[in-house]
């Protein structure tokens, strides 16, 4: 019996952070059929571990990235996006733990946050199901409230975080210990925080974040006993 | 029906703790019952387990494993057993009912192209290993071998279903187990025993080599898959290592790996064998895909 947050963390660890691109020398763009959660300002690595800064993204079409060390390098082939940072906990606990996790914001974003309290339903001997895990998961990345209009919040952050959520769901679909997910609910928000009638008035985590909140029930099948 | 052993009484009914149980059926691995060399395909349980990726990539198709994608809504119903009933109401067992399989392949696994590949299985005597959701492999144990469970191949019936307002496109697959299959012979190999999650095995992808032009020093062709649109098939990219290909001079019965491979534009290959190969004008030359996960070949005459 493993604790529910460990199962979710296991899914996050199995998420594929790679994207395959082809550099187009005539435009200076690297063509990708799936840009996943790539976004402007973030770092992307090539297969040799060279870092590039993303300067332009056309979702699921191309990325323009400049090399950070050798200016002659071009982004081509298998590329690695930033690995999501996973956390679980209540609002207060997560804010504290996430704040002290790393001083550099880049090392702890994008954030996948499993909100506690997690509700579970167990099944008895007559069922092939082990449990239902009712989870609320946030997919968050930094935003710039002083510079961005709402449209930019959505383009620059919400859209990539929606893609991050999609990758999470795709990963879950590929793990056969889980029943296929038929439906889920999600909410996108330009600013992540405590809302009033007039909008967000206070951050929940100590950073300016945007993203998606997913509400999902994951059903796990039973596994064999280990003696 | 298994006959009675008249010298034995009832079977002992105790069991040890922690007996392994099959999980929900997730997918299957199809395997021909008999290889072309006459041997029965099965896993020798007295020897170290083979490389399962090697079995999937086996060059001899009659020994190859053919994993299917993950199924949805799998059911394995068992028909009622058949009895003869006397007027008195007394019944005599005649035979057990047949075991059937019904499952659905959804989304990307449900293309008409894939349907065409599934339909062809009916023409072969084959069996299947069941793979459960936990990645274990279930087969039929007999005399120290784990054999695939025999399928009544004429009952093999894949059907294409169009998408509707409330359902996705899918392939519905149904078939019966061989009616003589003894279900008490089923055993499994677990993920930890095999060192492999059997759900991770994927079948080979057919590669078509089109427009093959063979000379005495090189071969040029386009490589693509069966999948894609009517206008544009998905191209086979990235097989740029010499070891990804094998060239055989069929006329002289010699095989060699090309000296180098160039791909330009994507999907168009030139295999240069000017140093390693010996090909004369008029020789029949076969180009084979040898990269793991793919299968295909084409033969041309050198000019």
């Amino acid at each position: 019996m493993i604790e529910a947050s460990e199962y979710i963390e296991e899914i996050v660890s199995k998420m594929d952070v790679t994207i395959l691109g082809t550099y187009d020398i005539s435009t200076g763009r690297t063509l990708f059929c799936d840009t996943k959660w790539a976004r402007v300002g973030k770092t992307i690595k090539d297969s040799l571990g060279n870092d590039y800064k993303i300067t332009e993204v056309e979702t699921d079409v191309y990325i323009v990235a400049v090399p950070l060390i050798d200016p002659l390098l071009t982004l081509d082939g298998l590329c690695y996006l930033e690995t999501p940072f996973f956390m679980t906990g209540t609002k207060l606990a997560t804010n504290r733990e996430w704040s002290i996790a790393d001083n550099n914001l880049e090392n702890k974003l994008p954030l996948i946050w499993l909100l506690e309290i997690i509700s579970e339903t167990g099944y008895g001997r007559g069922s092939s199901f082990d449990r239902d895990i009712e989870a609320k998961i946030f997919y968050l990345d930094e935003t710039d409230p002083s510079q961005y209009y709402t449209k930019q919040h959505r383009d620059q952050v919400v859209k990539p975080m929606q893609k991050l959520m999609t990758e999470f769901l795709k990963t879950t679909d590929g793990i056969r210990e889980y029943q296929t997910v038929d439906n889920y609910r999600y909410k996108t928000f330009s600013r992540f925080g405590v809302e009033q009638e007039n909008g967000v008035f206070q951050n929940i985590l100590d950073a300016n974040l945007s993203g998606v909140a997913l509400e999902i029930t994951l059903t796990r099948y039973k596994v064999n006993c280990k003696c | 029906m298994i006959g009675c052993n008249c010298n034995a009484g009832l079977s002992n009914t105790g069991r040890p703790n922690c007996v392994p149980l099959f999980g929900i059926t997730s997918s299957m691995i199809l395997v021909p019952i008999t290889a072309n060399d006459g041997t029965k395909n099965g896993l020798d349980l007295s020897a170290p387990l083979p490389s399962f990726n090697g079995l999937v990539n086996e060059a001899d198709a009659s020994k190859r494993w053919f994993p299917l994608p993950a199924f949805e809504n799998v059911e394995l119903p068992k028909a009622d057993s058949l009895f003869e009933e006397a007027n008195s109401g007394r019944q005599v067992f005649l035979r057990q009912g047949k075991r059937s399989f019904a499952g659905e392949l959804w989304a990307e696994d449900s293309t008409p192209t894939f349907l065409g590949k599934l339909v062809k299985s009916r023409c072969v005597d084959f069996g299947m290993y069941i793979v459960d959701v936990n990645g274990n492999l279930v087969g039929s144990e007999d005399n120290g071998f784990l054999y695939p469970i025999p399928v009544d191949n004429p009952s093999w019936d894949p059907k294409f279903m169009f998408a509707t307002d409330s359902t996705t496109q899918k392939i519905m697959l149904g078939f019966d187990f061989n009616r003589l299959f003894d279900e008490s012979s089923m055993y499994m190999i677990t993920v930890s025993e095999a060192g492999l999650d059997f759900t991770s095995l994927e079948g080979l992808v057919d590669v078509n080599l089109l427009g093959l032009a063979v000379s005495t020093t090189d071969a040029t062709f386009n490589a693509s898959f069966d999948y894609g649109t009517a206008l544009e098939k998905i191209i086979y990219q990235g097989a740029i290592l010499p070891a990804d290909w094998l060239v055989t001079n069929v006329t002289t019965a010699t095989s060699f790996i090309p000296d180098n491979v160039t791909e330009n534009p994507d999907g168009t290959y030139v295999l240069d064998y000017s140093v390693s190969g010996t090909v004369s004008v008029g020789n029949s030359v076969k180009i084979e895909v040898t990269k793991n996960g793919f299968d295909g070949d084409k033969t041309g005459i050198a000019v």
Side-chain angles (χ1 to χ4, degrees):
Chain A
M1 182 77 109
I2 300 183
E3 198 271 314
S5 70
E6 289 180 300
Y7 282 132
I8 305 292
E9 187 170 14
E10 185 189 25
I11 298 172
V12 172
S13 71
K14 288 183 175 175
M15 287 171 64
D16 182 7
V17 301
T18 62
I19 51 176
L20 187 63
T22 308
Y23 183 71
D24 181 0
I25 196 164
S26 62
T27 59
R29 296 166 173 172
T30 308
L31 308 176
F32 293 92
C33 62
D34 186 359
T35 51
K36 292 191 178 174
W37 56 94
R39 56 169 292 208
V40 171
K42 294 287 181 177
T43 307
I44 187 169
K45 285 183 193 295
D46 64 16
S47 57
L48 299 172
N50 299 307
D51 286 331
Y52 300 76
K53 184 72 84 183
I54 298 173
T55 58
E56 195 180 343
V57 175
E58 181 68 36
T59 305
D60 294 347
V61 182
Y62 67 82
I63 289 173
V64 179
V66 291
L68 292 181
I69 298 171
D70 183 350
L72 297 175
L73 290 173
T74 54
L75 187 67
D76 189 40
L78 196 64
C79 303
Y80 294 81
L81 297 171
E82 286 174 330
T83 305
F85 187 86
F86 177 78
M87 290 218 72
T88 182
T90 58
K91 291 176 186 176
L92 280 175
T94 301
N95 187 34
R96 184 179 169 279
E97 291 167 22
W98 186 67
S99 301
I100 61 174
D102 199 307
N103 288 329
N104 186 352
L105 207 56
E106 277 199 11
N107 294 337
K108 50 186 182 179
L109 288 173
L111 171 66
I112 297 182
W113 171 26
L114 172 64
L115 179 66
E116 290 191 10
I117 300 166
I118 309 160
S119 179
E120 295 183 65
T121 306
Y123 289 90
R125 190 181 177 195
S127 175
S128 52
F129 296 138
D130 177 41
R131 66 178 92 175
D132 293 334
I133 303 167
E134 291 169 45
K136 186 165 189 179
I137 306 168
F138 293 92
Y139 304 84
L140 302 166
D141 205 353
E142 63 185 320
T143 193
D144 187 349
S146 62
Q147 299 289 324
Y148 286 177
Y149 290 113
T150 302
K151 170 81 175 137
Q152 286 166 306
H153 283 300
R154 299 222 146 244
D155 280 349
Q156 299 290 335
V157 194
V158 175
K159 208 192 282 185
M161 289 304 98
Q162 215 166 324
K163 300 272 288 178
L164 182 65
M165 179 189 77
T166 304
E167 186 64 28
F168 175 87
L169 293 168
K170 190 177 159 193
T171 306
T172 310
D173 269 345
I175 303 174
R176 299 195 204 177
E177 284 102 338
Y178 293 93
Q179 192 183 37
T180 303
V181 177
D182 273 339
N183 62 70
Y184 48 86
R185 287 167 51 81
Y186 64 97
K187 194 159 91 172
T188 61
F189 36 82
S190 304
R191 286 293 312 282
F192 177 60
V194 179
E195 289 181 30
Q196 276 183 334
E197 201 174 299
N198 298 331
V200 173
F201 76 99
Q202 186 186 12
N203 286 338
I204 292 174
L205 302 180
D206 288 339
N208 295 310
L209 302 168
S210 293
V212 185
L214 170 71
E215 287 180 47
I216 190 169
T217 301
L218 296 171
T219 302
R220 273 189 72 87
Y221 294 115
K222 283 192 176 121
V223 296
N224 275 311
C225 58
K226 291 195 173 105
C227 305
Chain B
M1 179 186 171
I2 306 301
C4 298
N5 179 356
C6 299
N7 295 323
L10 293 174
S11 300
N12 293 325
T13 53
R15 65 159 177 82
N17 290 325
C18 196
V19 289
L21 297 177
F22 307 153
I24 307 235
T25 299
S26 174
S27 62
M28 295 178 294
I29 299 170
L30 309 184
V31 183
I33 294 284
T34 310
N36 288 343
D37 60 12
T39 56
K40 278 187 80 179
N41 286 320
L43 296 172
D44 184 352
L45 301 173
S46 62
L49 290 174
S51 156
F52 293 100
N53 280 308
L55 288 169
V56 171
N57 286 283
E58 167 66 50
D60 181 352
S62 72
K63 294 181 178 177
R64 191 178 300 156
W65 284 25
F66 298 85
L68 295 183
F71 282 88
E72 300 289 346
N73 300 332
V74 171
E75 291 179 5
L76 291 148
K78 179 95 169 164
D80 291 340
S81 295
L82 198 64
F83 293 84
E84 182 181 358
E85 187 171 332
N87 291 341
S88 65
R90 187 182 174 203
Q91 289 194 124
V92 177
F93 180 82
L94 294 177
R95 62 172 179 267
Q96 60 176 320
K98 67 182 179 189
R99 172 80 62 189
S100 301
F101 173 93
E104 298 170 357
L105 296 169
W106 285 12
E108 289 89 349
D109 298 323
S110 67
T111 58
T113 312
F114 189 58
L115 175 80
K117 294 178 187 298
L118 280 179
V119 166
K120 288 177 185 164
S121 304
R122 194 183 296 131
C123 310
V124 182
D125 283 333
F126 69 97
M128 52 102 184
Y129 290 106
I130 293 171
V131 178
D132 72 16
V133 290
N134 300 318
N136 304 314
L137 184 83
V138 180
S140 170
E141 198 266 337
D142 184 27
N143 279 332
F145 283 80
L146 190 73
Y147 292 111
I149 297 166
V151 169
D152 186 14
N153 59 311
S155 69
W156 182 259
D157 184 26
K159 284 178 288 197
F160 180 76
M161 308 299 285
F162 284 95
T164 68
D165 287 346
S166 57
T167 60
T168 183
Q169 176 180 307
K170 61 187 69 154
I171 292 174
M172 298 176 74
L173 177 65
F175 64 86
D176 298 334
F177 286 31
N178 186 304
R179 67 187 177 83
L180 298 178
F181 173 59
D182 173 14
E183 293 180 346
S184 68
S185 71
M186 283 191 290
Y187 279 89
M188 72 178 174
I189 295 176
T190 63
V191 173
S192 55
E193 288 170 333
L196 173 87
D197 180 342
F198 286 93
T199 62
S200 67
L201 293 178
E202 292 185 6
L204 301 189
V205 185
D206 285 324
V207 179
N208 300 312
L209 309 182
L210 306 171
L212 175 64
V214 181
S215 79
T216 55
T217 56
D218 61 28
T220 308
F221 53 88
N222 299 311
S224 61
F225 303 123
D226 291 325
Y227 299 86
T229 67
L231 287 174
E232 202 171 342
K233 298 290 183 283
I234 299 169
I235 56 174
Y236 175 52
Q237 293 186 69
I240 52 170
L241 297 176
D244 293 338
W245 304 92
L246 182 69
V247 183
T248 302
N249 186 332
V250 180
T251 309
T252 60
T254 50
S255 295
F256 44 89
I257 291 169
D259 305 320
N260 65 68
V261 179
T262 51
E263 183 188 9
N264 189 27
D266 290 345
T268 299
Y269 292 91
V270 179
L271 310 189
D272 177 1
Y273 43 81
S274 53
V275 177
S276 61
T278 313
V279 176
S280 305
V281 173
N283 284 171
S284 177
V285 176
K286 183 162 85 167
I287 309 295
E288 277 179 88
V289 177
T290 52
K291 189 174 182 178
N292 270 1
F294 302 93
D295 184 34
D297 63 66
K298 179 96 173 177
T299 303
I301 304 295
V303 291

